[in-house]
Structures are given as C-alpha cells and as structure tokens.
Amino acid sequence: MRVLIETHGQGQHHDERDLNEVADVDRLLDELAVSNDVILMLGVSEYGDEAELIVGITRAGYVITRLVDGDFQQLVGSPEAVGETEVMLGGQQTPTPNRWLTTRVETARTIGTYVTDSTYPDGQLWEQP
C-alpha cells in the first residue's frame, strides 16, 4: 500500500513509500521517530485529495484520523487525558486534545492492521471531532 509522507519544519517535503507488511510499518516509524511535524497518509484517493487514514507525528505522540463514510474520526489514545497539544494537520498547527494522542505501539498496530487487512484493530475507541 502506498503511503504519502509530508514533513514540515524547514520547508515542506513530500515522499512516497510502499508498505506491504507490518515490518515495513515498523521500519518507517523507526525512521521517523526523531521527526516532528510529519503526516502519513494511507488509502489515498485516485486524485490524491483525501486519505482514509492520516497519522500525525509530533514530539508529544501520534494522532490518528480515519475517514469513514465522509466523516473524520479520531482514535482516542487516552480517554482520561486533559489539555491540548499542537499537531501539524492540513499544513498548519492545530490545537488537538491530549486524549487523541496515541503511543508508537498503538500507531504501529493501527497502521499495520490497515495495511494488511484494510480494517482497524478491534477494541479501539474512535470519536468525531
């Protein structure tokens, strides 16, 4: 599966990779572990204008958004968390609730399941923004 990688910081850069198995996901997340303000887009439409799965990578953690029947949903990483952090989304810093921050392990599990099965792991809590 093709993943588009958008990095911000000193200018905006774009890259593409193929993720065909869970090991590819782990390698990519390891490579991006020291990065900040990175967006991964999977399940990109033919015209490249929308993606089914979007992962924002920040120093604070990972933010995972999915598109289901035209509606965006956020993966809830920690329902009890309070406060907000700034995450690069749509090319701009966006205040994001800390409850939407997930760990690298949960991010790898979510992307890996999507890449191998085109679904999402059972037992995850999603909410609409």
Side-chain angles (χ1 to χ4, degrees):
M1 175 176 292
R2 180 174 65 128
V3 60
L4 301 180
I5 305 165
E6 185 177 292
T7 56
H8 298 266
Q10 298 177 345
Q12 187 176 20
H13 303 281
H14 298 272
D15 193 9
E16 281 187 35
R17 301 278 177 86
D18 284 322
L19 301 178
N20 298 309
E21 55 189 39
V22 173
D24 296 334
V25 173
D26 286 331
R27 276 191 293 278
L28 179 61
L29 290 178
D30 285 346
E31 181 182 324
L32 297 173
V34 296
S35 301
N36 189 35
D37 296 337
V38 175
I39 299 172
L40 306 177
M41 294 167 277
L42 295 93
V44 178
S45 68
E46 178 182 347
Y47 302 106
D49 58 345
E50 59 183 36
E52 290 182 1
L53 182 65
I54 302 166
V55 179
I57 301 173
T58 127
R59 286 187 182 100
Y62 302 82
V63 177
I64 302 175
T65 305
R66 69 180 181 181
L67 182 62
V68 177
D69 297 328
D71 292 320
F72 289 104
Q73 297 177 350
Q74 302 295 139
L75 178 61
V76 178
S78 180
E80 315 81 36
V82 295
E84 292 183 336
T85 192
E86 295 281 319
V87 176
M88 181 67 68
L89 296 173
Q92 62 186 349
Q93 291 290 339
T94 304
T96 303
N98 286 336
R99 72 179 175 277
W100 291 350
L101 292 175
T102 65
T103 65
R104 185 205 182 283
V105 170
E106 188 64 22
T107 300
R109 184 171 84 104
T110 302
I111 296 172
T113 302
Y114 182 79
V115 165
T116 58
D117 300 333
S118 296
T119 62
Y120 300 96
D122 291 333
Q124 290 183 320
L125 175 62
W126 296 84
E127 66 183 25
Q128 287 187 307

